[in-house]
Amino acid sequence: MRFAITSNAGQVLATGSLFIEPDPGGQWRLCFRTDLGNIIEGGMVGEDGDLAAPGRLLLEKLVSRWGVGSVTLNSGTYRG
């Protein structure tokens, strides 16, 4: 799924896609790949498939990466 990451001031910091990647131990991790190829890893997906905890960790890493107070992930509009 495509997203744009924006700062609280409305500046687009990056665009890219969310994806879930297996780790060597067989668990799944929520990640964000920027269009420039940088990967930011979130947390591990729970056995129940809930993305709340891994999503919070991913957002914390995004905020830390760009040194801003908060970020928003905005998904694109689908036009079929």
Side-chain angles (χ1 to χ4, degrees):
M1 181 174 218
R2 300 267 316 147
F3 284 91
I5 300 172
T6 57
S7 70
N8 55 349
Q11 177 185 12
V12 175
L13 303 171
T15 55
S17 300
L18 286 176
F19 66 100
I20 298 174
E21 177 176 70
D23 77 351
Q27 289 187 305
W28 295 89
R29 180 181 302 276
L30 179 64
C31 300
F32 182 81
R33 179 181 292 115
T34 69
D35 289 344
L36 297 176
N38 298 311
I39 296 176
I40 298 102
E41 295 181 339
M44 303 306 282
V45 177
E47 289 186 25
D48 61 357
D50 186 17
L51 296 176
R56 277 192 299 278
L57 180 58
L58 180 60
L59 286 172
E60 288 173 12
K61 288 186 176 185
L62 294 171
V63 165
S64 174
R65 175 150 188 146
W66 281 285
V68 295
S70 65
V71 296
T72 302
L73 271 74
N74 298 301
S75 63
T77 302
Y78 174 75
R79 292 190 172 95

